[in-house]
Amino acid sequence: MSRRPVVHQFIPSLARRDAVGFHTFAVDEILRGLGAESTIYTAHINSETKDRARHYRQHARDPSPDLIVYQASIGSPMADYVMGRSEPLMLNYHNMTPPEFFYGWDSTLGAELDRGRRQLAGLCHRASVAVADSEFNARDLAELKPARVEVIPVLTDDALLPVDGPPAPRAVRDRSAPTVLFVGRLAPNKCQHDLLAAMAVLRQRIPGAELVLVGSSSAERYEQSLREFAAELGIADSVRFEGSVSATDLGSWYRSADVFVCLSEHEGFCVPILEAMAWGLPVIAFDAAAVPDTVAGAGVVLEDKSAGVVASAIERVVSDELLRQHLVELGSARAEELRASVVRPRFRDFFLELLKSGEIRR
Amino acid sequence: MPNDATGAREYVKRVQADITEEARRRRASNPTLMVQEQEINQAWTRSAPSAAAVGRDAVSPAEVTEHVAHLLGCVDDLSLIHVDAPVGKRRGVRQVKGAIRLLTRWYLRYLANQISAFNHFLVDFLRSAEQRIARLEGDARAAEIMGEFVDPVPEADPVLGRAVADQLSECEGPVAVLSCGSGQIVSALVEAGVTAHGVDDSVDAVSDGVDEGLDLRAAAPLDHLSRIADGSLSGVVLTRFVERRGPVELTTLIDEALRCVAPSGRIVVAVADLGARSGPEAELLRGLGLSPQTWAHLLGKRGCVVEESELTGARVTTLVTARPQ
C-alpha cells in the first residue's frame, strides 16, 4: 500500500479574509480531500491562523514533502528558502503589482514588490508546473519561461456571495442620488483617485451621486492624498471611505449600491468584480491587466478612463434600464462560472493528476 | 439563453462605443469639460508626491518617447559635433547616420533602464541595511526572535478593562490604548463614557473589534504615538506589547507617551507579574518587560506622580498610573 502524499503550501502572509489567504485554505481542504497530508507554512503567524499553519522557519525540521506549493503574490524571504529546497515545486501565481506603482507612495512596499518580481524569475526556473489564476497572469509568467503553465481561477469565498443565487435585476432606487461602489485596498494601482475625478464631473450632472470606497489602506500616504484630493475637488461630503468592513457589511454595500466601478490599472484577477456581479450589481471597468479577462464581456469595459468618459458611463448605466438588465444577467452568469463550487473540481482534478504523475517524488 | 446572452453582449458593446462617442461629443460641444478634466488632473498632481507623479508619467509609452527625444536633443546640444554636420550626399551614408541616431536613442533608453534598475537595487539595499541595523539592537532582536517561540500575550480580561476604566473615567479628552488587541479595554473605556481608540499591530485582532463598532486602528504602537501632536491625549494606556520589549525601547515609549499626554492627563501601564513566567517563557523572554517598581522608577524620574494599584483575579497584577507634573 503506497503512503499518503505529503504536500506543503507556502504563503508569505496568511489571512482568511484576504483573497490569496482564503484560496490557500481552500487548496489545503482540496488536498486533504484527496488523501494528502497537507500543511501550510507562512512567515507571519497570528491568533487567527496559528492553529491552521506553521512558521516557515520550522519547516527545515519537518519531514521532507513530496510537493511544495508556493502561493506567490509578494516578495518574501520565504521564496528564497523555497528556492533552496530540492523537492518538486508548484507555483500558484496570483500576480505581483509592478513596483513603480508604489515607489512614490511607499518605497518599502515598492522594494518588496520589486524583490518579489525578481524572486518570481527564480521560482519559475525552479517550478515544474505553474498555475496562474487568469490568462493575464499566465502571459506575465510566460515571459519567465516556466516549464508548464495552467490557468485555473482563484478559489473565491462563496460565503461572501448571496446565499439564494443572484438577486433579480432592479432599477436604481433614486436616479437623482445613485451610489457608486468600489471594493479594494486603497492602493495606487487601484486608482481610486480616478474614481474621485470621475465623481467630480458626475456630481455636476447628478448632484446627489455618492461614491463608497470599501477597503483598507495599503499606503497611508496614498489614502491621505485621496482625502486631500476629494476635499480639493469639493466632493468630500459625497465620498465615503469605509475602510475594511465585515462580510455582512460588505454584502449590504453590494446590495445597496447602484453600480460597481473599477478603474484599476493593475489587477491580477480582481475578485470584487465577481462579487459585485454575483450580487446583481452592474459593472463598469477600465480595460487594464486581468480586468477584461475577469469581466469577460459581462460589464462595460472602458478603454479611456478620463473623468468625462467614466461619468458618462455611470450616467448611462444608471439611466438605461435595458443596459442594467443585460449587465446584471451577464454578470450573474459570469459569477456563476467562477464560483468556488465550480472552480474547486478543476483544482481537484489538477492536483489528482499531479499527485498521480511522475512530476512529484513518491 | 445563449442567443439572449449574445444579444445582450452586442448591446453592451454598442453602449461602450456610444459612451466614448458621447464623451467626445460633450467635449466638442462643451470645451469647459476638457479644461475641467485638465484642472482635475493638475489637482491630483498637487496632492500626489512628486515621485509618484514622475513614476506614473514614466510608464506612459508616448511620454517615454517624448522624454527620450528631449534627452537626445540635450545630448545633441552637448555634443562637440553637430548632429546635422554634412556627411556626404550619398544616400547610403545618410541612412547609416540615421541608424546611428536610432542606436543612440536606444542607448539612452538603455541607460535610463539601467539607472532605474540601480535605483531599485539601492532602495532594496537600504531597506535590508535598515533591517540589519534594527537586528543589531539587542532588545529588538530578542523581541523579534524569542517572540516566535512563545505564545502571544493574552488579550485583556474584563477585570483589567474595568480597572483601567476606573483610573481614566475622569478623562475629558481622547485616550489611546496601545496594543489593544480586539479592544476589551477600549470597550470598557467607551462604556465608562471616555472617548477612546485602540492601536494594535495585529490586523486580525483589530478587525474583530472594528466589527463590533470600536475605533481600533492597525499600526505599530510606537509609530502611532509618534504621529500624535504634543499634549493632544488625555490618557495613554500601555498594555501587552510592553511585556515583550526591552528597556531601551520602553524608555523611548515613555518619553513619547509623556509628549502626547496633556499636563492634566494620565499614563496607565498594565504590568503582569514577570516572576510568574515559567519554563521556556522565563528563559526566552529574560530581560524583556519591566516590573511595577521599575515602571514607577522610570516614570518618577521623568517628574510624574506615580501610584501603583494591585489587581486581583486578573493576569495583570498591577496598574501603574502616572500623572505628569
Side-chain angles (χ1 to χ4, degrees):
Chain A
M1 193 175 72
S2 65
R3 65 176 178 82
R4 295 169 69 193
V6 179
V7 182
H8 290 172
Q9 277 196 87
F10 284 75
I11 175 169
S13 178
L14 182 65
R16 183 166 274 281
R17 289 185 60 196
D18 168 64
V20 181
F22 181 85
H23 173 84
T24 304
F25 284 123
V27 167
D28 183 63
E29 281 166 19
I30 290 171
L31 288 167
R32 285 166 194 269
L34 290 172
E37 278 181 35
S38 171
T39 311
I40 300 171
Y41 292 86
T42 182
H44 304 283
I45 293 281
N46 56 40
S47 54
E48 182 202 26
T49 54
K50 69 176 181 183
D51 297 331
R52 297 286 308 270
R54 288 165 66 74
H55 197 282
Y56 85 96
R57 286 188 191 150
Q58 295 170 305
H59 184 260
R61 294 193 294 273
D62 291 348
S64 173
D66 298 305
L67 174 70
I68 289 179
V69 177
Y70 188 81
Q71 303 287 351
S73 60
I74 196 165
S76 166
M78 226 168 64
D80 296 325
Y81 171 80
V82 166
M83 281 187 271
R85 299 288 303 188
S86 59
E87 294 91 346
L89 173 66
M90 179 201 130
L91 177 67
N92 198 170
Y93 182 51
H94 306 279
N95 205 276
M96 287 182 200
T97 307
E100 53 267 28
F101 278 106
F102 279 90
Y103 272 121
W105 303 98
D106 184 339
S107 52
T108 305
L109 186 52
E112 218 158 63
L113 289 163
D114 186 34
R115 182 187 193 184
R117 288 230 149 213
R118 280 183 282 123
Q119 285 175 329
L120 189 63
L123 287 165
C124 274
H125 181 68
R126 262 282 284 113
S128 50
V129 61
V131 171
D133 46 26
S134 65
E135 290 291 346
F136 172 78
N137 289 349
R139 287 194 294 275
D140 207 14
L141 277 189
E143 289 176 16
L144 301 171
K145 299 185 172 55
R148 179 183 143 205
V149 185
E150 298 272 337
V151 178
I152 308 179
V154 68
L155 290 156
T156 53
D157 187 355
D158 283 354
L160 295 175
L161 307 182
V163 181
D164 306 324
R170 63 164 176 84
V172 174
R173 287 190 182 86
D174 180 356
R175 280 191 186 170
S176 64
T179 300
V180 178
L181 175 69
F182 177 67
V183 178
R185 285 174 297 104
L186 299 179
N189 60 304
K190 295 188 185 282
C191 301
Q192 282 91 347
H193 57 276
D194 287 328
L195 279 167
L196 295 177
M199 280 304 289
V201 175
L202 183 68
R203 290 266 296 172
Q204 291 184 341
R205 302 177 194 171
I206 311 176
E210 182 190 45
L211 172 66
V212 178
L213 298 174
V214 172
S216 56
S217 173
S218 64
E220 202 173 302
R221 203 169 172 194
Y222 182 66
E223 181 182 352
Q224 192 188 334
S225 290
L226 285 178
R227 290 179 186 277
E228 286 170 11
F229 188 39
E232 186 162 354
L233 295 175
I235 55 168
D237 59 339
S238 58
V239 179
R240 297 178 63 152
F241 290 89
E242 285 295 306
S244 177
V245 301
S246 66
T248 315
D249 288 347
L250 184 60
S252 303
W253 279 120
Y254 281 128
R255 267 197 309 276
S256 60
D258 297 303
V259 56
F260 182 90
V261 184
C262 167
L263 300 182
S264 294
E265 283 177 14
H266 191 93
E267 292 281 358
F269 188 84
C270 201
V271 172
I273 286 180
L274 284 188
E275 291 172 356
M277 287 174 169
W279 281 99
L281 201 52
V283 169
I284 298 172
F286 177 56
D287 182 4
V291 170
D293 291 344
T294 305
V295 173
V300 173
V301 177
L302 303 174
E303 289 175 4
D304 176 358
K305 62 165 171 171
S306 50
V309 173
V310 178
S312 293
I314 296 171
E315 226 181 340
R316 181 71 184 263
V317 170
V318 166
S319 58
D320 184 338
E321 280 309 322
L322 181 60
L323 175 63
R324 284 184 73 79
Q325 190 184 331
H326 284 328
L327 288 175
V328 170
E329 284 167 2
L330 290 170
S332 300
R334 178 62 178 153
E336 278 302 306
E337 284 169 14
L338 295 172
R339 263 189 186 255
S341 50
V342 177
V343 176
R344 199 179 292 266
R346 289 179 63 186
F347 257 107
R348 191 179 178 284
D349 293 347
F350 172 80
F351 277 115
L352 195 61
E353 186 199 329
L354 193 65
L355 295 176
K356 279 183 183 167
S357 74
E359 287 182 49
I360 69 165
R361 191 178 61 190
R362 291 299 303 275
Chain B
M1 179 63 192
N3 284 337
D4 289 352
T6 308
R9 279 175 205 281
E10 278 170 7
Y11 185 76
V12 171
K13 269 189 188 168
R14 276 205 305 278
V15 169
Q16 279 173 191
D18 282 356
I19 288 166
T20 312
E21 178 56 25
E22 192 213 317
R24 193 194 61 74
R25 268 202 315 272
R26 276 189 194 254
R27 280 199 192 108
S29 64
N30 178 11
T32 52
L33 175 60
M34 203 183 285
V35 173
Q36 190 194 5
E37 285 180 338
Q38 281 170 357
E39 284 172 355
I40 289 171
N41 289 339
Q42 283 163 3
W44 175 243
T45 309
R46 283 195 296 278
S47 297
S50 55
V54 170
R56 286 200 60 198
D57 288 350
V59 295
S60 153
E63 289 185 354
V64 165
T65 308
E66 195 182 311
H67 289 164
V68 172
H70 176 67
L71 194 57
L72 200 58
C74 295
V75 172
D76 286 343
D77 290 345
L78 290 170
S79 172
L80 293 175
I81 299 173
H82 195 274
V83 67
D84 288 329
V87 289
K89 289 180 181 173
R90 288 176 194 277
R91 200 173 167 192
V93 175
R94 293 192 67 81
Q95 281 169 339
V96 169
K97 185 185 167 189
I100 290 172
R101 195 140 177 84
L102 271 179
L103 282 172
T104 311
R105 189 187 295 264
W106 172 84
Y107 181 65
L108 288 175
R109 183 83 185 103
Y110 169 78
L111 271 182
N113 284 341
Q114 291 297 302
I115 291 168
S116 176
F118 175 70
N119 287 346
H120 285 196
F121 164 78
L122 207 60
V123 170
D124 204 14
F125 170 76
L126 290 174
R127 182 167 164 267
S128 98
E130 199 270 338
Q131 282 174 346
R132 286 182 183 205
I133 290 166
R135 282 181 184 167
L136 283 173
E137 293 171 4
D139 63 335
R141 184 173 172 75
E144 182 188 334
I145 295 176
M146 298 310 164
E148 290 172 8
F149 297 101
V150 292
D151 290 336
V153 182
E155 293 258 351
D157 46 44
V159 175
L160 175 60
R162 281 194 298 274
V164 172
D166 286 346
Q167 292 288 334
L168 297 174
S169 58
E170 289 171 10
C171 284
E172 288 177 357
V175 171
V177 180
L178 302 190
S179 204
C180 61
S182 56
Q184 280 79 355
I185 294 177
V186 174
S187 172
L189 285 166
V190 171
E191 274 177 30
V194 177
T195 306
H197 71 268
V199 178
D200 201 292
D201 47 18
S202 164
V203 177
D204 309 296
V206 165
S207 345
D208 289 345
V210 168
D211 290 347
E212 288 171 19
L214 298 173
D215 179 3
L216 305 187
R217 304 159 195 188
L222 196 51
D223 286 351
H224 177 73
L225 271 193
S226 68
R227 289 200 297 270
I228 288 178
D230 294 1
S232 58
L233 295 175
S234 67
V236 174
V237 182
L238 307 176
T239 65
R240 301 174 67 226
F241 85 111
V242 293
E243 296 177 30
R244 299 284 166 91
R245 297 293 186 272
V248 176
E249 197 174 343
L250 290 178
T251 48
T252 310
L253 179 69
I254 290 173
D255 292 337
E256 274 298 293
L258 283 168
R259 181 186 63 74
C260 298
V261 167
S264 59
R266 289 182 177 199
I267 296 171
V268 177
V269 191
V271 190
D273 180 7
L274 302 183
R277 284 177 181 162
S278 61
E281 197 179 55
E283 288 193 7
L284 296 175
L285 299 182
R286 190 170 290 159
L288 302 180
L290 302 175
S291 68
Q293 295 74 25
T294 310
W295 277 109
H297 174 77
L298 289 174
L299 289 160
K301 277 283 183 188
R302 280 161 174 75
C304 296
V305 174
V306 184
E307 287 171 19
E308 291 178 40
S309 46
E310 302 292 322
L311 292 184
T312 49
R315 196 186 69 84
V316 166
T317 50
T318 313
L319 282 189
V320 178
T321 306
R323 277 183 289 119
Q325 287 294 294

